[in-house]
């Protein structure tokens, strides 16, 4: 039904946020940020991506559903500190707790995120056995998702704050639900319009008559005129899909596919041969496409 792809920061260290943190930290010497403890670098949590497969009917009508997503609880054993009970995190000796180190390169002093504590300012000498020093335990939660009517393939729904947790008090990332629409057995979607192929027997095509065609909302009828040719298209107004940003629905295009009969009995063969003879007597009169085709071939060899 769907699956997870970890965000850029698989380990809970937000990919882009971390990368930017490093760049700005290096250039401007920034430390800390909104919500962060003093002297520590704050990282936003990574984004998560969830692929959701839906049917064309669900895309057209919308859907309310539930998905299971990862979530993180504070570790009960260490109460979030990440340290084994009875021990405590120590101030990082490499950066003296600032989360930053200064490297001297020629005339310049370059500030970088401390490689020892990864900007946190603290190290855990004895990690908590329950969470391996992370301070939190990964679990799952159920999320109610409302898929809007008219959504299409490749669109993403953002669920703010449902990504990975931030680091050092940083905000969590977001969850992105990516919509995949399953291929439909009958309809093909083109924007708000739908297309379908309607097989029509050669006799019905020749004589005309009413035929039943499928629509997303049930069956409809088309009146075929006498002498309907293969490939003729009939448009059913408003029988397409109402897109998310559209004020009215698209149309349904039914493409006539005239079928050649197969597995004929001797009697049917005889009837067809008789019909053929009769049609030939009328010349090209009965074959509008052949008529123009013969003309075109003549012109070609002039
Ligand atoms: Zn723990
Ligand atoms: Zn450090």
């Amino acid at each position: 039904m769907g699956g997870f792809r970890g965000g850029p920061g698989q380990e809970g260290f937000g990919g882009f946020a971390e990368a930017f943190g490093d760049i700005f930290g290096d250039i401007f010497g920034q430390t800390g940020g909104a919500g962060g403890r003093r002297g520590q670098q704050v990282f936003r949590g990574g984004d998560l991506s969830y692929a959701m497969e839906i049917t064309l009917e669900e895309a057209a009508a919308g859907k309310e559903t539930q998905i299971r997503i990862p979530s993180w609880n504070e570790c009960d054993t260490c109460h979030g500190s990440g340290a084994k009970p009875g021990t405590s995190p120590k101030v990082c000796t490499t950066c003296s707790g600032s989360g930053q180190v200064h490297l001297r390169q020629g005339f310049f002093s370059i500030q970088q995120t401390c490689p020892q504590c990864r900007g946190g300012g603290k190290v855990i000498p004895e990690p908590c056995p329950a969470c391996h020093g992370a301070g939190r335990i990964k679990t799952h939660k159920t999320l109610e998702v409302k898929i809007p009517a008219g959504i299409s393939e490749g669109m993403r729904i953002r669920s703010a704050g449902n990504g990975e947790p931030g680091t050092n008090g940083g905000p969590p990332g977001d969850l992105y639900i990516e919509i995949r629409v399953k291929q439909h057995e009958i309809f093909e979607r083109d924007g708000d319009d739908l297309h379908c192929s309607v097989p029509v027997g050669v006799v019905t095509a020749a004589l005309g008559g009413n035929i039943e065609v499928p629509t997303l909302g049930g069956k409809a009828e088309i009146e075929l005129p006498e002498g309907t040719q293969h490939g003729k298209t009939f448009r059913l107004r408003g029988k397409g899909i109402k897109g998310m940003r559209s004020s009215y629905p698209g149309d349904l295009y039914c493409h006539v596919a005239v079928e050649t009969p197969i597995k004929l009995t001797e009697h049917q063969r005889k009837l067809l041969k008789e019909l053929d003879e009769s049609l030939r007597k009328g010349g090209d009169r009965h074959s509008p496409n052949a008529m123009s085709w013969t003309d075109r071939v003549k012109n070609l060899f002039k």
Side-chain angles (χ1 to χ4, degrees):
M1 229 343 244
F4 267 98
R5 218 170 58 220
Q10 283 278 25
E11 304 303 319
F13 289 87
F16 274 120
E18 182 178 33
F20 281 122
D22 279 351
I23 291 163
F24 290 124
D26 290 349
I27 297 171
F28 303 111
Q30 279 184 351
T31 53
R37 283 163 288 194
R38 256 185 67 186
Q40 292 182 337
Q41 276 198 310
V42 167
F43 301 126
R44 180 181 173 272
D47 290 333
L48 288 175
S49 176
Y50 183 96
M52 184 184 281
E53 206 180 42
I54 60 172
T55 64
L56 184 65
E57 284 87 348
E58 289 168 342
K63 185 190 185 185
E64 276 175 44
T65 186
Q66 296 180 331
I67 58 171
R68 257 165 78 76
I69 62 164
S71 76
W72 287 262
N73 288 343
E74 191 182 271
C75 174
D76 285 339
T77 308
C78 62
H79 303 288
S81 75
K84 187 177 168 182
T87 73
S88 58
K90 299 269 181 292
V91 172
C92 174
T93 50
T94 308
C95 62
S96 311
S98 70
Q100 302 279 306
V101 288
H102 298 267
L103 298 176
R104 194 158 276 286
Q105 281 189 1
F107 294 109
F108 301 102
S109 172
I110 296 168
Q111 201 173 36
Q112 275 192 333
T113 300
C114 173
Q116 188 69 34
C117 62
R118 300 183 76 178
K122 282 179 178 168
V123 289
I124 297 163
E126 286 182 85
C128 163
C131 64
H132 308 289
R136 53 184 174 242
I137 288 180
K138 192 175 172 180
T139 168
H140 285 90
K141 70 176 176 186
T142 303
L143 186 72
E144 302 277 344
V145 181
K146 203 177 165 185
I147 297 169
I151 201 161
S152 47
E153 167 75 23
M155 280 186 174
R156 299 202 303 171
I157 300 168
R158 179 167 163 263
S159 177
N162 274 314
E164 293 177 317
T167 309
N168 300 332
D174 298 330
L175 170 71
Y176 288 92
I177 299 160
E178 286 184 20
I179 297 298
R180 295 272 167 267
V181 181
K182 275 185 233 173
Q183 196 165 353
H184 198 275
E185 284 197 320
I186 291 169
F187 301 110
E188 234 173 83
R189 184 175 179 176
D190 177 21
D192 290 353
D193 294 331
L194 291 174
H195 293 262
C196 73
S197 172
V198 182
V200 173
V202 72
V203 177
T204 309
L207 300 180
N210 288 351
I211 56 160
E212 222 172 47
V213 293
T215 76
L216 269 189
K219 285 169 185 166
E221 228 173 47
I222 292 179
E223 206 184 303
L224 285 190
E226 198 180 300
T228 295
Q229 298 297 314
H230 177 82
K232 168 91 180 160
T233 302
F234 293 88
R235 181 169 74 160
L236 298 180
R237 269 181 192 277
K239 296 287 185 190
I241 289 173
K242 189 170 173 294
M244 277 171 64
R245 288 173 200 88
S246 310
S247 36
Y248 46 86
D251 304 326
L252 168 62
Y253 292 87
C254 298
H255 304 270
V256 169
V258 174
E259 279 208 303
T260 307
I262 60 166
K263 294 180 181 168
L264 301 174
T265 63
E266 273 313 304
H267 179 59
Q268 288 162 339
R269 268 172 201 281
K270 199 169 148 275
L271 287 174
L272 276 183
K273 278 179 182 165
E274 277 174 33
L275 175 65
D276 187 43
E277 249 169 63
S278 165
L279 289 172
R280 274 172 199 276
K281 278 179 195 157
D284 278 345
R285 205 160 70 82
H286 305 297
S287 312
N289 292 329
M291 200 155 55
S292 64
W293 183 78
T294 313
D295 285 347
R296 272 178 278 152
V297 172
K298 268 186 205 155
N299 284 333
L300 188 66
F301 294 114
K302 241 179 202 170

